[in-house]
Amino acid sequence: MEITAEIKDRLSLLQEKYAAMGQDITAYLDGLLYADYLTYWDYIHLDTLLSLQHPKTSYPDEEIFIMYHQITELYFKLALHECRQISANTSLTPDFFASRLKRINAYFTALVSSFDIMVDGMDKEQFLKFRMSLLPASGFQSAQYRMIEIYSTDLIQLVTLSKREQLKHATPAEQFENIYWKYGASELSTGKQTLTLQQFIVKYAGQLLQLAQNNIDHNFSSLYKTLVQRGEDMTAVEAELRKLDLFVNVEWPLSHYKSAVRYLERDPVDIAATGGTNWQKYLPPRFQKRIFYPYLWTEEQIEQWGKSWVMNVLKAYRT
């Protein structure tokens, strides 16, 4: 094979690259010579990926439950990949901001549209049995989801609604102590923290609080306001922020609510979620009024936050 001028140019650039790092290009060329060709299954570690499902029972549909939650966490990881790009960008522009938000919204589009796997994709009787082997584990313990929330908004918007006004000038530590999800994981009978919440706090509370403190000036809401003050055209960013607000605070929790109604609602007493969370009050957005960007919505929209969606879910599953 002829060594063309193009190949020589590439070799020259490679030599410059490795020389700048104090490396010998010959050793790297030997590495290319001896290396095997890369395969798809090795590149994505397919065999490892497919070996990560370990059901606790013999019910077949438990494997569906495991795989869907693993897929969900991978989508959250994709979203966090974009969150970090936005937060760490020292020369943030509206175009870059909007393009990365659009990616995050694409991931949540896939998540919300796929949740029917959880709503209708498992046998109800199987679920109600195998779920008991999972205690006290719960999807509530998804730290990645909490991280997405922290990247998305000022911490005060994540404080439980009853204390939001009172703590709007409090320290991040005080606000975090009253974050909404701590009130959702309480025992229905006593109001005490569930073991699910206790486990989560021990493992992740310090990391989440540190993330919130590090992003006081770099969460999406703060970055948006900074760009507005510069006089930037934020039309595209605002559209994507509204979509994100609806995905994370309305459509995603209500997808879970739909699933809870399907599997856990029962007369005369509803079945508790695996983590013991008060799902009837915790999941519906109209109770939490969790809104990342209240300044992008009208008073009427805030007042009706998620209400019609809940009514539609209840109507569909009670008829």
Side-chain angles (χ1 to χ4, degrees):
M1 176 182 174
E2 179 186 359
I3 305 298
T4 65
E6 184 178 3
I7 292 175
K8 289 179 180 179
D9 287 342
R10 292 288 192 279
L11 287 171
S12 178
L13 290 172
L14 281 172
Q15 189 168 25
E16 291 177 13
K17 173 183 176 179
Y18 289 114
M21 297 184 292
Q23 300 291 302
D24 181 6
I25 188 177
T26 305
Y28 286 89
L29 291 175
D30 283 345
L32 286 173
L33 179 63
Y34 302 137
D36 290 332
Y37 293 109
L38 184 65
T39 62
Y40 167 77
W41 48 91
D42 285 334
Y43 179 62
I44 67 165
H45 298 280
L46 183 60
D47 291 340
T48 300
L49 181 64
L50 298 181
S51 71
L52 296 178
Q53 294 76 47
H54 303 285
K56 300 297 182 183
T57 72
S58 60
Y59 293 106
D61 282 3
E62 186 187 350
E63 197 157 357
I64 298 172
F65 189 79
I66 293 171
M67 284 188 281
Y68 184 75
H69 281 82
Q70 289 176 336
I71 291 166
T72 296
E73 290 296 334
L74 287 173
Y75 270 115
F76 288 163
K77 187 172 183 178
L78 283 169
L80 284 171
H81 177 69
E82 307 304 333
C83 289
R84 294 185 186 103
Q85 289 193 65
I86 295 170
S87 177
N89 193 312
T90 56
S91 302
L92 187 65
T93 64
D95 286 345
F96 185 90
F97 200 172
S99 70
R100 270 38 182 191
L101 286 170
K102 191 172 184 178
R103 292 182 184 181
I104 296 171
N105 287 330
Y107 304 143
F108 271 96
T109 298
L111 282 165
V112 170
S113 64
S114 68
F115 208 84
D116 281 349
I117 293 169
M118 288 289 292
V119 176
D120 297 313
M122 297 183 298
D123 179 84
K124 182 174 181 178
E125 293 308 311
Q126 285 190 41
F127 171 75
L128 291 176
K129 291 175 180 177
F130 75 67
R131 67 187 287 274
M132 303 312 295
S133 71
L134 312 180
L135 298 173
S138 169
F140 172 92
Q141 294 173 318
S142 173
Q144 290 198 114
Y145 184 71
R146 308 300 175 201
M147 292 175 188
I148 292 169
E149 292 179 317
I150 288 171
Y151 272 110
S152 296
T153 192
D154 296 320
L155 189 56
I156 187 60
Q157 298 306 131
L158 302 178
V159 168
T160 190
L161 182 60
S162 64
K163 296 192 176 183
R164 205 171 291 163
E165 181 64 27
Q166 173 189 343
L167 296 174
K168 63 182 180 181
H169 299 303
T171 65
E174 291 172 311
Q175 292 175 351
F176 185 80
E177 185 63 29
N178 291 276
I179 201 163
Y180 79 93
W181 42 259
K182 290 187 179 182
Y183 294 82
S186 57
E187 294 177 359
L188 295 176
S189 58
T190 66
K192 294 181 180 179
Q193 289 185 349
T194 61
L195 180 57
T196 299
L197 176 57
Q198 293 172 30
Q199 289 176 329
F200 186 73
I201 288 173
V202 168
K203 184 168 179 61
Y204 289 114
Q207 181 181 348
L208 293 173
L209 175 56
Q210 187 63 58
L211 181 66
Q213 291 172 328
N214 291 345
N215 280 277
I216 290 174
D217 297 321
H218 299 281
N219 66 69
F220 297 170
S221 185
S222 181
L223 292 170
Y224 166 81
K225 291 174 183 177
T226 297
L227 291 174
V228 167
Q229 289 174 355
R230 290 184 197 166
E232 301 278 5
D233 180 0
M234 301 298 286
T235 305
V237 173
E238 289 170 359
E240 297 302 329
L241 288 176
R242 288 192 191 94
K243 290 178 185 177
L244 180 64
D245 218 348
L246 289 174
F247 273 133
V248 179
N249 294 320
V250 177
E251 296 190 39
W252 184 241
L254 283 176
S255 295
H256 287 72
Y257 184 70
K258 185 193 295 187
S259 178
V261 170
R262 164 80 164 84
Y263 291 107
L264 303 180
E265 189 174 60
R266 177 182 290 176
D267 289 330
V269 179
D270 291 342
I271 302 168
T274 50
T277 55
N278 185 0
W279 61 268
Q280 302 94 328
K281 296 290 185 182
Y282 174 69
L283 291 174
R286 64 196 176 107
F287 295 134
Q288 296 287 340
K289 283 287 172 67
R290 199 164 60 253
I291 305 174
F292 290 159
Y293 317 107
Y295 45 82
L296 296 181
W297 303 99
T298 66
E299 290 184 10
E300 182 180 358
Q301 288 170 327
I302 291 173
E303 176 63 28
Q304 298 297 317
W305 194 250
K307 185 176 180 179
S308 62
W309 213 103
V310 174
M311 295 300 104
N312 290 336
V313 169
L314 291 175
K315 182 179 180 181
Y317 281 87
R318 288 174 175 170
T319 55

